[in-house]
Amino acid sequence: MPKINKRKKVSNSEDEKSSSSSDSGPDDRNPPPKNEAKKMATTSTAAAKKADQNPPGDVEPSWQLDKQRVLKVRSWRGKTFIDIREYYEKDGQQLPGKKGISLSASQWSKLKSIIPEVDKALEEV
């Protein structure tokens, strides 16, 4: 014969609040305050880092490949990269897009060494 558990129902309002049949967990009575100062500090830090990457007067060597593609030589975290990227226009300003590739110096050297082979393959196609 199966056991039947009989529980005594407690009418104390505090016990009713703490025992819940939902799986959502306890409700926060005092959610953490929104820290606007932290958001502002993060934004200004990001802007400062961006300014450090391209100091005024320090122009990265760049070549326009077509209307929206640009090749640039740039430094990032102390390393030099050849960046080929699509740009888009927003508010009259050219901005880099997601589509592109950054080649390390060794990858760039490898690419340069196989250019004659690529040219030959292009002629055959």
Side-chain angles (χ1 to χ4, degrees), residues 17-28:
K17 287 180 186 175
S18 65
S19 64
S20 171
S21 63
S22 71
D23 292 335
S24 65
D27 292 331
D28 287 339

Side-chain angles (χ1 to χ4, degrees), residues 22-91:
S22 71
D23 292 335
S24 65
D27 292 331
D28 287 339
R29 292 188 182 132
N30 297 322
K34 293 181 180 178
N35 194 348
E36 295 297 323
K38 185 176 181 181
K39 287 180 185 178
M40 294 301 289
T42 304
T43 304
S44 64
T45 304
K49 284 183 182 177
K50 196 168 197 173
D52 288 345
Q53 288 177 348
N54 296 324
D58 186 16
V59 178
E60 296 171 329
S62 62
W63 294 265
Q64 190 83 28
L65 301 177
D66 65 16
K67 184 179 177 186
Q68 296 204 330
R69 289 183 183 91
V70 178
L71 183 146
K72 288 188 175 193
V73 178
R74 53 175 47 161
S75 292
W76 187 67
R77 293 189 179 180
K79 295 182 181 179
T80 303
F81 292 95
I82 291 75
D83 189 51
I84 303 170
R85 190 152 308 278
E86 281 190 1
Y87 280 68
Y88 66 97
E89 189 173 330
K90 183 178 179 183
D91 299 328

